[in-house]
Amino acid sequence: MTLPKRTQVAIIGAGPAGLLLGQLLHKAGIDAVILELRSADYVLGRIRAGVIETGTVGLLEEVGCAARLRREGLVHEGVEISFGGARHRINFHQLVGRSVVVYGQTEITRDLMEARAACGAPTLYEAEDVILHDVTTARPYVTFKKDGAVQRLDCDFIAGCDGSHGVSRRSIPTDVQQVFERAYPFGWLGILVDKPPVSEELIYANHERGFALCSMRSHTRSRLYIQCDLDDKVENWSDARFYDELAKRLDATAVARLEQGASIEKSIAPLRSFVAEPMRYGQLFLAGDAAHIVPPTGAKGLNLAASDVFYLSRALMEFYIEKSRAGIDAYSATALARVWKAVRFSWWMTSMLHRFPNSSGFEQRIQHTELDYLITSEHALRAMAENYAGLPY
Ligand code: FAD
Ligand code: DHB
């Protein structure tokens, strides 16, 4: 593909944030070029999110990328919380009139990649050494290396959608950026397996041996997680050991339905909360994991990437179509207000459901009381359902 020398918006990163932004801008008649470090296959091989909020589905609809999700996604009207040997259902639909869709991040990424290819919008994969230049001037540009040759892309704006290890956030001087961070003292060991889920809906389990989550990708594919130590290694966990440990953390009914198959993916993810403020520096805007990370417990990461991109696409449309800078000037504050609510919710879910090393008897009693209060108070249930199903934009 021959890349233009100039575009309106240079998007760094072809994860969900970059691809969705690219399609929203394309629909509005705004040009964008996406530069991605990895190959398309590598991006598609990363097994990550699975729970999609209604707002995210709406954005995929807007760009014409929701047909397969509507066909193959599983609509979930609630989740189950397991603790003290029993399971308790939280019915989002009844509590707040909303639901979520279970559909893999890999599938969303594939749908967006195909739509982008179909409309002929340029994405350059395996673009190395991306460097952002002159971002505080009206004429920023990006340089990158492709097949060993350095190239230059001029633009009006740069959208930093390059995830937590990307170059965009690192291009903002540390004296204008504030970072808020919490590292949790555990990780999640996850497997993907072609066996039916143990239950119709997701089970989030609090157990004295540690947290467990039974999720899924379809009626025939399960995604299962257990809390593990931070320094643990995938090699320490045979499938048999994984199932044995998972079974210890689930209720008897779930264990009876647990079908053990050979894992087709196995990985460990550390848990942390991280927010970089502001999300704008001159003509550079951060979106998604480039600006913030949440622990996966609340299923918010991908959905936050989508809400950032919603605000950013509207701001850029206002700039190009209505010739107003109001949206781009408000972007960081508007996005951060919603980000922090998801950070709070993800921290709360994580705190309530995991086993913390060295936690005292007092802390464990408080954790159980939090769970007991949650399942017995309609007000608490409604607050949980409202946040899990996704706060409005
Ligand atoms: P990314 O997906 O990280 O995409 C960034 C892209 O930028 C990548 O393709 C990367 O290769 C590219 N890039 C990086 N550096 C450069 C560079 N220098 N130049 C060019 N390109 C670059 N979220 C949910 O909402 N629900 C869930 O259920 C959920 N479960 C999760 C489970 C796990 C185990 C994990 C690890 C995460 C989960 N998440 C979940 C989080 C979710 O996957 C992320 O929040 C989401 O991927 C963020 O999208 P993004 O586009 O901002 O970043
Ligand atoms: C999945 C991941 C999550 O973090 C979560 O809270 C729910 C589901 C998943 O990968 O299916």
Side-chain angles (χ1 to χ4, degrees):
M1 163 174 296
T2 46
L3 220 57
K5 296 265 176 253
R6 174 170 179 83
T7 188
Q8 289 173 307
V9 184
I11 300 176
I12 318 299
L19 288 167
L20 181 58
L21 180 64
Q23 289 318 98
L24 287 164
L25 294 181
H26 175 77
K27 248 200 101 221
I30 300 168
D31 288 337
V33 170
I34 302 184
L35 300 174
E36 163 62 49
L37 174 66
R38 306 288 189 172
S39 68
D41 284 344
Y42 182 96
V43 173
L44 285 171
R46 289 187 300 227
I47 308 296
R48 288 183 171 177
V51 176
I52 313 302
E53 295 173 0
T54 314
T56 307
V57 174
L59 291 173
L60 293 167
E61 293 276 12
E62 187 178 324
V63 295
C65 285
R68 198 157 67 92
L69 177 146
R70 289 284 185 214
R71 265 197 325 273
E72 297 174 13
L74 309 176
V75 175
H76 282 199
E77 294 189 345
V79 291
E80 292 187 282
I81 305 275
S82 159
F83 70 100
R87 263 196 262 163
H88 309 268
R89 177 159 194 254
I90 302 184
N91 186 330
F92 307 145
H93 193 66
Q94 219 171 53
L95 289 159
V96 293
R98 281 185 291 133
S99 49
V100 293
V101 178
V102 171
Y103 188 70
Q105 174 167 335
T106 42
E107 306 313 306
I108 290 186
T109 307
R110 184 182 299 282
D111 296 342
L112 287 166
M113 278 179 177
E114 282 176 6
R116 188 160 180 86
C119 66
T123 308
L124 188 71
Y125 288 95
E126 298 177 305
E128 294 178 340
D129 293 342
V130 167
I131 303 173
L132 282 46
H133 304 267
D134 294 352
V135 295
T136 55
T137 74
R139 297 184 179 282
Y141 65 97
V142 179
T143 54
F144 56 94
K145 223 189 252 175
K146 179 67 187 169
D147 300 327
V150 176
Q151 298 185 39
R152 169 178 171 143
L153 176 68
D154 289 278
C155 56
D156 300 331
F157 298 102
I158 301 171
C161 301
D162 47 351
S164 56
H165 302 296
V167 65
S168 301
R169 192 183 63 247
R170 282 187 277 118
S171 307
I172 303 178
T174 47
D175 58 341
V176 297
Q177 195 180 63
Q178 241 188 315
V179 164
F180 301 88
E181 197 168 9
R182 164 151 309 182
Y184 300 90
F186 38 72
W188 279 16
L189 168 65
I191 68 164
L192 192 66
V193 57
D194 277 325
K195 287 288 176 190
V198 297
S199 180
E200 302 294 300
E201 293 176 338
L202 272 60
I203 304 174
Y204 287 84
N206 170 303
H207 191 275
E208 61 192 27
R209 296 183 66 88
F211 169 78
L213 168 61
C214 298
S215 181
M216 64 193 77
R217 289 292 176 273
S218 68
H219 292 303
T220 56
R221 180 170 282 192
S222 293
R223 180 68 168 155
L224 304 165
Y225 297 99
I226 53 173
Q227 175 183 346
C228 65
D229 289 341
L230 266 182
D231 57 1
D232 220 332
K233 298 269 175 296
V234 165
E235 303 76 67
N236 296 338
W237 289 87
S238 63
D239 288 349
R241 183 178 172 212
F242 180 92
Y243 288 116
D244 187 45
E245 185 59 41
L246 176 65
K248 288 182 181 148
R249 302 182 188 188
L250 299 177
D251 61 279
T253 315
V255 174
R257 288 188 58 180
L258 180 63
E259 288 187 45
Q260 304 192 7
S263 61
I264 49 178
E265 196 263 0
K266 192 183 283 168
S267 53
I268 290 182
L271 267 65
R272 68 183 183 130
S273 303
F274 175 97
V275 183
E277 295 185 2
M279 288 170 63
R280 174 191 183 185
Y281 179 59
Q283 303 293 86
L284 166 66
F285 298 89
L286 302 180
D289 278 17
H292 41 72
I293 302 288
V294 287
T297 328
K300 289 286 163 250
L302 168 60
N303 293 301
L304 271 190
S307 59
D308 286 353
V309 158
F310 166 80
Y311 296 126
L312 184 54
S313 63
R314 272 22 181 205
L316 292 168
M317 286 179 210
E318 241 178 276
F319 178 83
Y320 284 111
I321 299 162
E322 294 163 32
K323 313 286 178 219
S324 161
R325 300 187 70 88
I328 57 175
D329 288 342
Y331 169 70
S332 178
T334 310
L336 280 168
R338 191 174 189 279
V339 164
W340 272 108
K341 291 185 186 101
V343 170
R344 183 205 69 83
F345 177 69
S346 306
W347 160 83
W348 174 75
M349 287 279 283
T350 303
S351 308
M352 181 172 65
L353 289 167
H354 290 75
R355 183 75 174 184
F356 283 74
N358 309 320
S359 62
S360 65
F362 177 84
E363 284 153 344
Q364 287 165 27
R365 285 284 194 282
I366 289 287
Q367 196 184 52
H368 263 243
T369 307
E370 183 80 46
L371 283 160
D372 186 37
Y373 173 62
L374 171 66
I375 54 132
T376 53
S377 159
E378 195 168 327
H379 301 286
L381 281 169
R382 194 160 281 135
M384 190 278 185
E386 182 188 32
N387 281 276
Y388 192 95
L391 294 173
Y393 292 175

